[in-house]
Amino acid sequence: AVIAGLITVAIAFKNADSLVVDDYYKAGLAINDQIQQQTNASNYGYSAILRRLPDNRLFLKFEQSIPADETLFLQWSHPLLADEDFTVVLHRQADGSFQNKAEHNLSGRWHLRLSNNYDWLLKTEIKSGMDAVHLTPRLN
């Protein structure tokens, strides 16, 4: 029983839950920054459609206002596994769209965050089978 208990404790420490936040103060500040960035996106009139093409190419087109940035950052966050998260850098094209090819597996469920990394933020969720999603400055 003692050996089994020690093995259980070792497994628990080795496979710690990555969903627990260690520093609540920093997490609170990050939430405030995120709300401000979403408010900025709403004030700028930003919303976009992201299309996932068969060859893992991502095609992003803004609906009304288009940011002046040359590159945007599309963060893919797995809802349960933080070590699966990745970011795709999207580059402005001559037609005003932003594109790049993702080197990761895009199947499954993901939380998406599109930003220029300092001023504004658009969010959505995408699941397997969805070829297009609408990114908005939703405040939640």
Side-chain angles (χ1 to χ4, degrees), residues 34-92:
Q34 178 177 314
I35 290 170
Q36 183 59 52
Q37 290 174 341
Q38 289 174 287
T39 301
N40 290 347
S42 180
N43 291 339
Y44 299 151
Y46 292 162
S47 64
I49 300 291
L50 175 71
R51 298 194 194 300
R52 191 165 45 174
L53 304 177
D55 62 349
N56 260 9
R57 181 158 293 282
L58 300 171
F59 177 87
L60 181 85
K61 187 78 169 176
F62 280 83
E63 295 180 305
Q64 296 173 1
S65 299
I66 301 172
D69 304 283
E70 290 299 315
T71 58
L72 299 178
F73 302 91
L74 183 62
Q75 297 174 341
W76 294 70
S77 300
H78 193 278
L80 299 176
L81 305 172
D83 59 335
E84 296 288 322
D85 298 354
F86 62 94
T87 300
V88 176
V89 179
L90 300 173
H91 303 283
R92 179 185 293 279

Side-chain angles (χ1 to χ4, degrees), residues 7 14 30 34 48 66-67 70 93 95 104 138 140:
I7 291 172
K14 182 179 178 185
Q34 178 177 314
I66 301 172
E70 290 299 315
Q93 306 299 305
D95 66 355
H104 294 78
R138 62 184 178 152
N140 60 14

